[in-house]
Amino acid sequence: MRTFLATAVVLGLIVVSVVLVWAHGTLWRPTDNPERIVVVPERATGREVIDGLHRDGLLPSALTGRLYLRFRADGRQLHFGRYRIPARSRPIDTLERLLDGQVETFAITIVEGSTATEAAEACIAEGLGTADEWDRIVADTQWVSDLAPDASSLEGFLFPDTYRF
């Protein structure tokens, strides 16, 4: 009986060691991928995100990704948004980026004296809306009705500054 228990313990330790080495290799070894953009939809589940990362080649094993989220995420959740994943990133770094919510940001500078059309063009150039959407927003004076009840548009209400999104 003692021999059987000793053998079972040794085999169990070997199996656990092999799994840990395999998981470490799949999460900490850099990929050969070029820089990538990953978009995590607002209501995506962890499984959907992990499966997408695996499908895109950013995570060699979906199983290790799910295990990492379950046991090492420390209660953190994946954040939705757009992420820029550097070339040759380690899968662990990609997961941590999504867990920390390190979304891609961009800046738009509105120069003093800019018209609403010029401000809209700067936003559109960064992929923030379309011309039709900006035309509707600028025409909607409900935003400033308390400040300027007679305003015919939002022209002049955008403070010159650098806005980060």
Side-chain angles (χ1 to χ4, degrees), residues 16-75:
V16 167
S17 297
V18 167
V19 168
L20 289 175
V21 167
W22 169 75
H24 185 273
T26 60
L27 290 175
W28 276 268
R29 187 176 305 122
T31 63
D32 291 331
N33 292 320
E35 180 178 79
R36 295 271 184 92
I37 299 295
V38 171
V39 177
V40 176
E42 189 168 350
R43 290 180 173 68
T45 64
R47 180 178 287 272
E48 291 168 341
V49 174
I50 294 297
D51 289 345
L53 292 173
H54 177 63
R55 192 174 37 257
D56 292 344
L58 294 169
L59 187 61
S61 167
L63 175 62
T64 55
R66 284 193 290 274
L67 289 172
Y68 185 82
L69 289 183
R70 180 137 182 115
F71 296 110
R72 299 292 299 166
D74 300 324

Side-chain angles (χ1 to χ4, degrees), residues 83-103:
Y83 296 86
R84 184 174 301 276
I85 309 299
R88 298 194 41 79
S89 286
R90 299 179 312 169
I92 189 78
D93 296 332
T94 300
L95 288 173
E96 284 296 322
R97 186 178 296 265
L98 273 64
L99 285 167
D100 291 341
Q102 296 174 6
V103 294

Side-chain angles (χ1 to χ4, degrees), residues 132-152:
D132 289 338
E133 291 170 330
W134 280 104
D135 289 344
R136 278 195 307 275
I137 289 170
V138 170
D140 185 3
T141 59
Q142 180 180 352
W143 298 82
V144 295
S145 62
D146 291 344
L147 297 170
D150 297 331
S152 61

